[in-house]
Amino acid sequence: MYKSSMDDYKAMNRYEKKRYSIRYREIVDSTNNWAKEEARLGASEGTVLTADMQTAGKGRRGRSWESPTGTSIYMSLILRPQIAPEKASMLTLVLGLSAAQAIRDLFGLEVLIKWPNDLVISGKKICGILTEMNVGAGGIEYVVAGIGINVNTREFPEELADKGTSLCLEYGKEIDRQVLMEAVLDRFFRNYELFLEKQDLSLLVDEYNAVLVNRGKSIRVLEPGHEYDGISGGINEKGELLVTREDGTEVAVYAGEVSVRGLYGYV
Ligand code: BTN
């Protein structure tokens, strides 16, 4: 099953013109830092920076991202979208959806998205995304979208063991990182075109909501200095999570500002 779906995938994409070019280094501090440096030096949209290991992998909210050698995918995409800066947080959702689609297509695993962009299998995280942006007087100069996927990780540090998993543990076999990386990128650049066409998620929202783990669940919204509980709906075309609060009012929660936590366990 694994081999044939890999072969199908390679055959399907053999003649597709790639909208990206990949650069590789064995060790970097963070592929996001490397990408920002290359973007400042003028690297074009579609440049992808990837490394086998990161010595200072960055997670969201100032956290670090475990990045050992030989097991996972760490890559950062340079984008130069001509959109208003406040729309850039939607790119994170586009990348999360693309990674979920690629994993499902290649391995048939049921991968879900914890809004806005954690990928989850069997209730445990397998992937995180960190998007950074530089805005000048003329608007966005570049966006760096960095993604880390736990691919062939067999063991997690004690504090992550009940929260994290890898594709290899879920699928039961070693996975070719290069094939998966290209599958994610192929999906992403197709979805990115759909995003740019409307400058929002209206052409992707149904697919996103179909794999949204939070949907219909009790969640807690964590806004800076303010928390409240509610029931989560899907996202709208701006990528906001629609939440019905306990008093019956509906609010749209903006991805760039807050996070949500399932009230029961990680998701
Ligand atoms: C999260 O906290 O969930 C986001 C994790 C993002 C990790 C990736 S790995 C590739 C890229 N380089 C980094 O330093 N971080 C991102």
Side-chain angles (χ1 to χ4, degrees):
M1 146 79 176
Y2 172 66
K3 186 161 189 316
S4 71
S5 60
M6 285 287 184
D7 291 345
D8 289 351
Y9 180 79
K10 283 180 183 163
M12 231 165 54
N13 289 281
R14 190 165 303 147
Y15 302 111
E16 189 180 346
K17 190 176 171 324
K18 300 292 180 197
R19 277 162 270 194
Y20 53 85
S21 63
I22 301 176
R23 294 193 213 162
Y24 170 79
R25 283 185 186 164
E26 215 165 314
I27 302 181
V28 293
D29 58 350
S30 148
T31 56
N32 268 29
N33 290 350
W34 180 21
K36 286 194 285 184
E37 193 183 302
E38 294 295 336
R40 272 194 294 272
L41 294 171
S44 57
E45 164 150 297
T47 306
V48 177
L49 296 312
T50 181
D52 182 55
M53 178 184 168
Q54 301 185 116
T55 54
K58 298 186 292 184
R60 295 176 75 206
R61 296 171 202 288
R63 288 190 284 258
S64 60
W65 185 258
E66 280 285 317
S67 308
T69 180
T71 58
S72 293
I73 290 175
Y74 318 111
M75 69 171 170
S76 301
L77 289 61
I78 296 175
L79 305 169
R80 298 189 184 273
Q82 293 183 357
I83 56 171
E86 61 272 19
K87 295 188 172 185
S89 63
M90 285 187 261
L91 289 167
T92 313
L93 281 73
V94 177
L95 184 54
L97 173 64
S98 308
Q101 291 168 326
I103 292 166
R104 185 200 55 206
D105 291 352
L106 284 177
F107 313 114
L109 290 169
E110 203 206 1
V111 50
L112 300 172
I113 302 177
K114 175 180 176 280
W115 183 87
N117 52 38
D118 284 355
L119 297 195
V120 172
I121 298 181
S122 313
K124 293 180 174 181
K125 179 164 168 171
I126 52 138
C127 166
I129 297 171
L130 176 68
T131 300
E132 301 182 72
M133 159 170 81
N134 192 49
V135 180
I140 292 181
E141 285 175 355
Y142 62 79
V143 172
V144 162
I147 178 166
I149 308 176
N150 303 332
V151 182
N152 291 319
T153 324
R154 298 244 172 217
E155 276 173 23
F156 287 84
E158 207 178 309
E159 67 279 10
L160 296 179
D162 59 340
K163 295 197 194 86
T165 187
S166 71
L167 291 176
C168 162
L169 289 175
E170 298 301 320
Y171 190 61
K173 283 182 195 162
E174 284 269 313
I175 282 165
D176 183 329
R177 286 182 288 167
Q178 168 103 21
V179 172
L180 174 58
M181 192 184 299
E182 291 192 16
V184 172
L185 291 169
D186 290 340
R187 270 292 191 169
F188 175 79
F189 281 97
R190 270 179 251 151
N191 289 335
Y192 181 52
E193 238 166 59
L194 299 176
F195 166 73
L196 291 179
E197 191 182 320
K198 300 283 181 194
Q199 304 225 345
D200 67 23
L201 300 174
S202 44
L203 299 175
L204 298 166
V205 71
D206 290 344
E207 286 220 52
Y208 185 98
N209 281 332
V211 290
L212 181 62
V213 72
N214 310 85
R215 209 166 183 184
K217 299 249 169 74
S218 297
I219 55 158
R220 176 157 298 158
V221 179
L222 310 168
E223 287 180 349
H226 175 56
E227 295 187 5
Y228 55 89
D229 295 343
I231 303 289
S232 158
I235 61 161
N236 62 18
E237 73 291 343
K238 290 190 264 181
E240 296 163 335
L241 187 69
L242 303 171
V243 178
T244 307
R245 297 179 62 154
E246 285 175 325
D247 63 5
T249 54
E250 192 172 82
V251 284
V253 183
Y254 176 60
E257 287 168 358
V258 300
S259 63
V260 301
R261 173 151 71 69
L263 290 183
Y264 310 106
Y266 171 71
V267 293

